[in-house]
Amino acid sequence: MKKKTLIAKLCICALTVSMLSSGCAGSDTQTSTGETSQETETAAETAAETASEAATETAVSDATPLEVTDVFSSQNSIDEALKKEAESGYSFEEPSIIVNPYGTAPLTAVIVFSTEEEIGGTITVKGKSPENDITGTFAAEKNHIVPVYGLYNGETTQVELTLDDGTTNTVEVTTEKSEISLGTIETDMIDSSSYDYSCLTFVCSSGGTLCAVDSVGDIRWYFTGGGTLGVHQLKNGHLMLPSQFLLKRMYYRSGLQEIDLNGKVYKEYAIPGGMHHDFCELPNGNLLVAGDSPDLSTVEDYVVEIDRSTGEVVWELDAADIMDKEDGASASNLSDGTDEEDWFHNNGVWYDEENDLVLLSARHKDAIVAVNKSDKSLAWILGDPEGWETVDEKYFFTPVGDDFEWQYAQHQVSMLDNGDIMMFDNGTAKVKIADNDNRVTGNDVYSRAVIYHINTEDMTIEQVYEYGKERGAEWYSDWISGVVSLDGTKDQLWITAGAHLYNPEEDRHDYGPGDMMTAGLTKSSHIDQVSNGSLVYEMVISGETYASLTYRSFRMPLYTEGAGLDITQTGELLGNLGETAQTEASVSFDDVQTLPEGWTMTLDAVKLSLKGSYTTDAAADALTDGYLILKNGDEVKTYALSQFGSQGEEGTNVSVTGWVSTVGLEGSSWEIYLSVDGVTYQTGYAMNL
């Protein structure tokens, strides 16, 4: 039997329905005389009304009901195909090799073979140097589907399989070349004694790709099916990361998804208000998620607890219930380019089990806010007490000790094993908004990883560690970024200074998120391991693209015991998006037109979503509001569409997206209309829920 290599290009994606041209033809009626009696006028009006009603009924009956798409149907088909492959009797010496089986992790594969007896073994994916070999184990079975992680992009990688009885076979696996790039990756191994080669660096690129990079900067794994703002390894070994669907620009996702490293999705959670930035796994297995208000009128100010088994919201917190929106405002508000809806900007969540506290990282307050989970009351605020008018001073700490500095516009709060509070201090402005004239600028800017020890009995705070200030402006990261401990102490830290912008013409480093798309600025990330206060390893990613900026990074092995591919488990879509807020809008159905071709819509178990585009003479910043309209007889529901315009040769090219949750629409049939560029369109489709 010859060795068989299959290249799988099956992608997990929702089926879309192309909206075909459809509609009703109109007609004009003229009278043959110049005079009409009142009775004739009344009869004509009655006939017109009847004709209009008939036309409406025809439109309803002609509308094609959208079928509910099973978001896991493609994945289920792949699982079934792998089962059949495993039963085909490939030998250990001549196995079947399937590259990228689920279509979202191009540097993975599975090796399929059978053995006469149940037996396990080890797999070694060869690196370009021995220290960058990637090793894992596989369980004792007769029919084997062995995951392969850590292949090189567009190259042939040797993979060695060794059974527990000592039998060995080496195969070669070739991947197609993918145009995946974070920019230029340079590494500096200063002291390898503290560096763990068995782990890779998972880079959460601001460009939207999650990558795993080895010690010399080679990308050995990446995933294309989700977001990157908030990724963690779960206790079961899987990854949890933002889902693909975008509720609202720029990064507000519909929820979370749990995957293995082959890219198979085991659970997807739809969350009212969506998610952004961060989540944490609670001791009971539930998920504590940073989200937005359920109606999306405000963002980054909600936290919800999601039941892991059902997807239901079992606890929620609105930050506006514990503090005034104007209090403690950070000067970072002015340089972030945000508005009133992002008054809190929570970018991190942590659960303090010992004290039953939820810790939030409020960038636009320069504060870590601790909330008693039991009754949602304020416990304490770690941050500069200036500018807080309505919060009692008893909730703030008094600094003690030497070399103390408050943090400003921080990211990624966590706790060490001894209870100390750790975060990345971006150092934006270093003043409150009322004192913005004195904000720190120029080459005086710096960022830090910082650790504080707090005493909640006497409400004192002491700074016990910092790293980064000595690196100066060249290490400055105005936004994103983070720090994690590799061993639960301050002795082994993994730090991401992920957003450095540099202007070589002006030799200037003090740029913020409002400048991220500015031409001529070099973008870079510094990813560092600091051991006992000293830099032992550094990875620098740089380039001209947004992808060179790193939201956060963390360390993880590619092979984790118990986290292998399970083709017997079917993916689950859990939870819902809540009832979508309607928009106040007046929509006329007097001159309804047929929607042009090229628009697509999808109906799944939790939402109707659509996308399309049009060209208009209006400027990109003066577009007419767009609406998704649902009509059931005389009942009309209107929802805002998201539009993004860019200048084209024939006018402004506008991309349009929209969605509406199925919650609150059940039990009715809804015709689907759109209003874009001032025109109401009949789509020819309906939802029967």
Side-chain angles (χ1 to χ4, degrees), residues 271-319:
I271 303 172
M275 72 81 56
H276 61 84
H277 277 100
D278 206 5
F279 79 94
C280 68
E281 187 176 12
L282 294 172
N284 63 4
N286 287 351
L287 306 172
L288 194 63
V289 185
D292 309 310
S293 64
D295 64 359
L296 299 179
S297 60
T298 58
V299 296
E300 307 186 36
D301 56 354
Y302 261 69
V303 182
V304 296
E305 179 183 345
I306 302 299
D307 185 291
R308 188 76 166 273
S309 59
T310 67
E312 295 180 0
V313 175
V314 295
W315 183 89
E316 59 186 322
L317 172 72
D318 181 354

Side-chain angles (χ1 to χ4, degrees), residues 503-524:
N503 187 329
E505 292 185 0
E506 300 179 10
D507 190 24
R508 184 180 157 202
H509 302 269
D510 61 337
Y511 291 94
D515 305 302
M516 70 178 78
M517 298 301 180
T518 301
L521 299 183
T522 299
K523 303 169 179 63
S524 63

